[in-house]
Amino acid sequence: MWAKLAIRLFFRELRRGELTVICAAIALAVMTVLTLSSVTDRIGQAILQKSNAFIAADRALASNHALPENYQEQAQNMGLKTARLTFFDTMLFANERMQLAAIKAASQAYPLKGELLIKRDFDAPEQAAKGGPEPGSVWLNESVMYSLDLAVGDSVELGAASFVVSAILSEEPDAPFNIFSGSRRVLLNEADIEKTQVIQPGSRVFYRQLYAGESDKVEAFYQLLKPQLAENQRWYGVKDRQSPISNSLERSERFLLLAGLLGIILAAVAIAVSAKRYCERQYDPVAMMKTLGGARSQIRNIYLLHLALVCGFSLALGLAAGYGLQYAAGNYMAANMDVQLPPASMRPWLSAVFIGVVCAVMFSIKPLLDLFDIPPLRVLRRNLGDRLLVSKIHLALSAFTVFALMWLFSGKIMITLILFLSSAALVLVLFILSKLIFGGGRKLGLSPGNSWSLAIASIQKRANANAVQLISFALAIKLLLFLIVLKNDMINDWQSQLPADAPNAFLVNITEEEKQPVSDYLADKDIEVSRFYPTIRGRVNAINGEPVAREVSLEDNEKKDEEARSGVGRELNLTWVSEMPSHNTLSGGQWFSEQSRGEVSVEQSMAERLDIKLGDSVSFLIGAQSFEAKVTSFREVNWSTLKPNFFMILSPDVLADFPATYIAAARIDEGESKAFTQLLRQYPTITAIDVDNFVDQIRSTIEQVSLAIGFVLAIVVVCGALVLISQVQASLGERMQEVVILRTLGARGQLIRHATLYEFLLLGLVAGVVAALISDIALFIVQRTLFELPGKLHPDIWLIGPLSGALFVAVLGYTMIARTLNKNTSGLLRKIM
């Protein structure tokens, strides 16, 4: 019997529109989570797949020792593509000249991702190569060609073998972005390694195996491989590689995660408000059932089944809407990102259903319990049960639910705490503020018949309801401001790292004698060039007289000194300048003065790694010579910029007697390439590193990330608008009653319209002020802790927040109420009866 009543109640209220608010709220939650999760999942996979070209594979396995071949056999059996790389340095000989070069010996399947670009002559266009060079031939980059005075078709000696130069190596997808190494590059077929006889016992050789395939197969292979990996073998992806692109990917992932969390908050607010409002609307029907003899258990069963039907219907509606939206979004993003978005995993669907059910149950359980306690006498005394309108238990349960869902969704406690606590602070501030405003309004003494007086009276009359509305409005505005400003700061930071005139080439190995002629030549050709940095390789040997640990070789049976202080483990590129580089920021101490002698500035993370304090003495070793310098400052370095960066910068006096070479960054425009080529031919010992294509790839990836972020932001904005709509809809019935009473008392339509508009303006203005303040504080914390951005305040949003909040809430609220205001009194009476 009760089951039939529950089903009849569901369909009747569905037809009458009574379920519109709560169904829309639950469907909104499901749609938001599904859309955001699916879109961010698909976009993240697409960006990662395209960025994998930077390592020429989806994953790579690297080691200083030969890797077992059975690893690749296992991967191939699991449906993965594989390739091998071997790296070593050796001398090249040609035309009675010699040149030290970095050799990369590749299997024929290389590269698995990205493209190899070659040229058949210096002036020939670039073309994509299918695989590497054939056995018996090599590809050299332009620097090596110039150094050895070679042309395509000439022969070059590499170890004990002679090879034909069959092409000029123009671009490698996984070329290391390191301006201090890898500049003289040679690509060799791995079948020719043995005949070169270069690799001997004790030779310094690096090995890499590349893997590519479907992400689940790659992950399954890694799980199989993981127990077999030795300590000297490293499994990594593009995000594990220290580069500007990996930093951009990590930031974009954090932002998309933030967007998903904010979507959950907005959807949860919509469900909490609508569930509470819907249960309040059932107080009278429940009272009627009890007067007609309905038992409490029967009423409980009816409404629990009713809730299950509402939840199931809303879930289906939300899943259908979310699927359609993410499908349309995927097609749009794929067209604009010029990449096929992979299908989303099942996780977004499971997350959407789970979050929808949890929100519907947790936000409805306390209002339902209150509903079951409604006394039968409410049919006579309509105020009975009003004391249940505000429940501390309901608020606490809702807050716990939101926090738990955010934590489960993100898996990151820090980001969850920042967003949750900032939202809780906003709620607390607004609760106190609403009490002051709504209580103080009675003392304003505004004249009767005035629109402002009527607006404030309306706010006072619905003090509790307006406090809830105010909090909901402010939460939506705060989250939108937070996301918009963070998105702009991220993109501005990326663009500042890669401006239109960013350097796209580096000149390395410039001698003291060549420095001035090279500078004059570049100036004469109007080629922009940065300052020339002197460089020399050196090792940190001791700190305050305490020796530091050095890198050990297991192959040579060396043992690590366990008692030695933690060290760098490798030589560093040292420089000395009197002025701090523009892309460095002083984080402690004082920069060098003209009187500085024997001082060093240390990069902040390196100082933390070595546990260096201001005033410490650092001992350096260059060759057989050692010297000391006093730490007088720490620097924060933006490693994402395409500029020379250094861990250690010494005062000019320290290395004045050491021979050094110079490096410089240059901007080579399209019409200046021939002049630049002529410079390299004139000075063949200078190495040029072309990063123009690398810069283009980074810009392309950043544009794709920006597009993805913009789309996700649009979804969150829509969700915020729907939250506001659900809030206004919750008060429509009460507003209809007010309009009827005011018209009966003779109030003009214009007076009522203006009062309604002013009411929403005041609510939006107060919500915007508090939202701007809280969001700016949260932004400051998030930028510094999660995005490695310079934390700063944004005074502009203190103006934009209140103005946009007032305008947005006023326009949206008034538009929704306009239909009610335009109805005649008899029509409104029929509507509310």
Side-chain angles (χ1 to χ4, degrees):
M1 181 65 179
W2 60 265
K4 290 183 179 180
L5 285 175
I7 295 172
R8 287 177 60 186
L9 178 66
F10 170 73
F11 284 107
R12 188 191 68 179
E13 293 195 346
L14 189 63
R15 287 193 300 268
R16 292 179 56 191
E18 295 292 331
L19 297 178
T20 301
V21 175
I22 189 169
C23 285
I26 298 174
L28 166 65
V30 175
M31 183 198 73
T32 301
V33 174
L34 177 59
T35 304
L36 285 176
S37 299
S38 297
V39 170
T40 53
D41 184 26
R42 297 179 67 187
I43 290 173
Q45 289 185 58
I47 293 175
L48 184 60
Q49 286 181 10
K50 193 164 186 179
S51 301
N52 284 340
F54 285 86
I55 61 170
D58 290 326
R59 291 291 187 275
L61 180 64
S63 176
N64 294 345
H65 306 279
L67 293 165
E69 292 187 5
N70 68 303
Y71 288 175
Q72 290 192 296
E73 293 175 2
Q74 294 175 21
Q76 290 167 4
N77 292 335
M78 297 178 68
L80 298 179
K81 294 186 291 184
T82 65
R84 292 181 301 276
L85 296 174
T86 305
F87 301 86
F88 56 92
D89 294 339
T90 191
M91 300 297 296
L92 300 180
F93 298 90
N95 299 324
E96 299 183 353
R97 298 184 181 184
M98 61 181 180
Q99 173 65 56
L100 179 65
I103 312 299
K104 177 197 287 185
S107 63
Q108 201 61 39
Y110 168 82
L112 302 180
K113 293 290 180 74
E115 285 186 327
L116 274 171
L117 298 183
I118 59 174
K119 296 193 294 187
R120 296 300 177 181
D121 197 0
F122 287 106
D123 299 322
E126 291 181 343
Q127 62 184 72
K130 296 181 180 179
E134 296 294 328
S137 63
V138 292
W139 296 346
L140 315 179
N141 71 358
E142 290 192 26
S143 295
V144 180
M145 300 288 286
Y146 295 144
S147 299
L148 298 178
D149 193 21
L150 288 170
V152 175
D154 290 348
S155 295
V156 62
E157 293 181 23
L158 194 165
S162 179
F163 298 89
V164 175
V165 180
S166 58
I168 299 173
L169 182 60
S170 180
E171 178 191 328
E172 304 161 84
D174 58 336
F177 181 66
N178 186 335
I179 61 176
F180 298 106
S181 65
S183 53
R184 312 274 185 176
R185 301 185 65 77
V186 177
L187 189 60
L188 176 74
N189 191 300
E190 72 166 3
D192 291 328
I193 294 178
E194 186 175 352
K195 69 179 183 181
T196 65
Q197 300 181 21
V198 170
I199 299 179
Q200 300 293 331
S203 295
R204 190 175 179 83
V205 186
F206 301 93
Y207 301 88
R208 189 178 302 165
Q209 291 180 355
L210 307 181
Y211 302 91
E214 298 176 8
S215 57
D216 56 341
K217 292 183 179 179
V218 174
E219 180 61 26
F221 171 68
Y222 174 60
Q223 295 304 323
L224 179 66
L225 183 66
K226 192 174 181 179
Q228 307 176 54
L229 293 179
E231 291 184 2
N232 60 356
Q233 297 171 353
R234 186 169 72 94
W235 175 267
Y236 67 93
V238 66
K239 291 189 295 185
D240 305 312
R241 194 183 188 196
Q242 183 66 35
S243 70
I245 192 63
S246 64
N247 295 337
S248 299
L249 286 173
E250 288 175 4
R251 282 188 182 179
S252 65
E253 283 188 350
R254 294 190 194 115
F255 183 91
L256 296 177
L257 177 62
L258 268 175
L261 288 175
L262 300 185
I264 288 177
I265 295 176
L266 291 172
V269 169
I271 292 180
V273 171
S274 58
K276 188 74 169 68
R277 178 59 181 169
Y278 177 72
C279 289
E280 290 168 10
R281 293 169 69 91
Q282 300 300 312
Y283 284 177
D284 291 341
V286 169
M288 289 291 295
M289 289 182 191
K290 287 187 175 181
T291 60
L292 295 175
R296 190 179 191 276
S297 59
Q298 187 179 30
I299 295 173
R300 183 188 63 228
N301 293 338
I302 289 172
Y303 276 95
L304 287 177
L305 178 57
H306 182 61
L307 176 64
L309 293 172
V310 170
C311 185
F313 175 77
S314 304
L315 282 175
L317 192 65
L319 291 174
Y323 174 77
L325 189 56
Q326 69 88 25
Y327 181 79
N331 291 339
Y332 173 79
M333 298 296 294
N336 285 273
M337 291 172 63
D338 192 28
V339 63
Q340 186 64 37
L341 294 184
S345 63
M346 284 301 297
R347 182 182 176 184
W349 292 84
L350 297 176
S351 299
V353 172
F354 177 76
I355 290 174
V357 171
V358 169
C359 286
V361 172
M362 296 301 289
F363 295 141
S364 302
I365 191 68
K366 186 58 175 66
L368 276 176
L369 293 176
D370 290 344
L371 180 61
F372 303 149
D373 291 333
I374 292 296
L377 279 177
R378 182 178 171 88
V379 296
L380 298 177
R381 296 175 57 187
R382 300 296 301 279
N383 64 330
L384 289 178
D386 288 349
R387 62 184 178 83
L388 301 173
L389 292 179
V390 178
S391 170
K392 294 180 181 179
I393 297 177
H394 184 218
L395 293 176
L397 194 62
S398 300
F400 174 78
T401 301
V402 171
F403 179 80
L405 289 176
M406 291 173 63
W407 192 4
L408 286 173
F409 183 81
S410 68
K412 300 181 183 299
I413 188 64
M414 179 59 70
I415 191 172
T416 300
L417 282 173
I418 292 173
L419 288 181
F420 181 80
L421 292 178
S422 64
S423 299
L426 181 141
V427 170
L428 180 62
V429 170
L430 278 174
F431 179 77
I432 297 172
L433 200 59
S434 66
K435 291 295 183 182
L436 295 175
I437 294 174
F438 302 150
R442 297 183 175 88
K443 302 175 183 179
L444 293 177
L446 296 173
S447 60
N450 182 279
S451 296
W452 283 105
S453 300
L454 188 57
I456 293 177
S458 179
I459 290 176
Q460 294 171 1
K461 181 177 179 294
R462 288 190 302 273
N464 289 333
N466 281 329
V468 175
Q469 280 192 341
L470 190 64
I471 290 170
S472 299
F473 292 158
L475 269 176
I477 296 169
K478 175 244 178 184
L479 298 179
L480 295 178
L481 284 175
F482 182 92
L483 217 53
I484 291 170
V485 175
L486 181 59
K487 173 233 180 191
N488 291 336
D489 283 355
M490 281 176 55
I491 293 176
N492 289 338
D493 183 67
W494 283 333
Q495 291 174 343
S496 67
Q497 296 169 16
L498 293 173
D501 58 348
N504 58 0
F506 289 91
L507 296 172
V508 183
N509 201 37
I510 304 171
T511 65
E512 181 71 42
E513 294 75 19
E514 294 170 336
K515 176 185 170 185
Q516 193 58 48
V518 168
S519 178
D520 293 341
Y521 179 89
L522 295 174
D524 183 60
K525 301 299 182 182
D526 292 326
I527 296 177
E528 296 182 20
V529 66
S530 70
R531 70 162 72 177
F532 287 75
Y533 289 89
T535 61
I536 192 169
R537 302 279 290 179
R539 182 183 294 275
V540 175
N541 201 39
I543 299 173
N544 294 330
E546 181 183 356
V548 299
R550 62 188 181 89
E551 189 175 21
V552 298
S553 171
L554 298 177
E555 188 176 84
D556 296 333
N557 296 319
E558 294 183 7
K559 293 183 179 180
K560 181 177 180 179
D561 187 356
E562 299 293 344
E563 298 180 358
R565 182 169 179 157
S566 176
V568 181
R570 60 182 176 85
E571 288 188 332
L572 300 176
N573 294 288
L574 307 176
T575 190
W576 54 100
V577 293
S578 57
E579 296 181 4
M580 185 170 60
S582 59
H583 50 283
N584 288 200
T585 304
L586 201 66
S587 59
Q590 297 290 327
W591 185 250
F592 309 138
S593 64
E594 293 182 359
Q595 291 76 35
S596 295
R597 295 293 181 271
E599 297 181 2
V600 60
S601 176
V602 185
E603 189 268 338
Q604 185 69 46
S605 65
M606 179 62 72
E608 294 171 358
R609 175 180 174 182
L610 299 179
D611 193 22
I612 293 176
K613 305 292 189 297
L614 289 174
D616 285 353
S617 175
V618 180
S619 175
F620 296 90
L621 183 66
I622 299 178
Q625 302 183 54
S626 63
F627 61 89
E628 292 186 356
K630 181 182 178 182
V631 178
T632 56
S633 66
F634 296 138
R635 292 168 294 111
E636 290 186 358
V637 177
N638 188 349
W639 297 99
S640 298
T641 58
L642 300 179
K643 297 178 181 179
N645 286 310
F646 300 88
F647 285 111
M648 305 278 187
I649 299 181
L650 294 137
S651 56
D653 65 292
V654 178
L655 298 176
D657 297 330
F658 284 85
T661 58
Y662 291 81
I663 67 169
R667 172 69 194 178
I668 313 299
D669 294 325
E670 189 174 345
E672 299 168 339
S673 57
K674 288 187 177 181
F676 189 67
T677 299
Q678 184 60 39
L679 172 68
L680 299 180
R681 287 175 175 171
Q682 186 175 345
Y683 297 97
T685 59
I686 295 177
T687 298
I689 303 176
D690 182 10
V691 295
D692 198 34
N693 186 72
F694 188 82
V695 172
D696 289 342
Q697 285 181 298
I698 294 178
R699 282 203 179 104
S700 173
T701 301
I702 290 175
E703 288 173 2
Q704 294 166 8
V705 171
S706 302
L707 182 64
I709 287 173
F711 188 85
V712 170
L713 181 60
I715 295 176
V716 176
V717 170
V718 172
C719 293
L722 291 175
V723 168
L724 299 183
I725 291 172
S726 67
Q727 277 290 345
V728 176
Q729 280 183 330
S731 64
L732 275 180
E734 191 174 352
R735 290 182 183 278
M736 287 181 186
Q737 293 178 1
E738 286 184 2
V739 172
V740 170
I741 294 171
L742 289 171
R743 285 180 178 175
T744 304
L745 295 175
R748 293 174 301 165
Q750 185 178 9
L751 176 69
I752 299 174
R753 287 187 181 89
H754 286 173
T756 303
L757 182 62
Y758 296 157
E759 179 184 352
F760 282 115
L761 272 173
L762 287 172
L763 289 175
L765 182 65
V766 175
V769 169
V770 180
L773 177 64
I774 300 296
S775 63
D776 208 13
I777 295 173
L779 272 168
F780 182 86
I781 298 172
V782 166
Q783 286 177 327
R784 292 186 66 87
T785 57
L786 299 178
F787 288 88
E788 299 175 357
L789 293 172
K792 62 178 182 179
L793 297 178
H794 304 81
D796 51 330
I797 71 171
W798 300 349
L799 177 63
I800 295 173
L803 291 179
S804 61
L807 183 63
F808 186 50
V809 173
V811 171
L812 190 60
Y814 184 79
T815 301
M816 293 187 62
I817 301 297
R819 291 182 60 188
T820 299
L821 298 178
N822 291 331
K823 289 182 179 180
N824 56 39
T825 304
S826 61
L828 289 176
L829 282 171
R830 285 193 298 270
K831 187 75 174 176
I832 63 178
M833 290 302 290

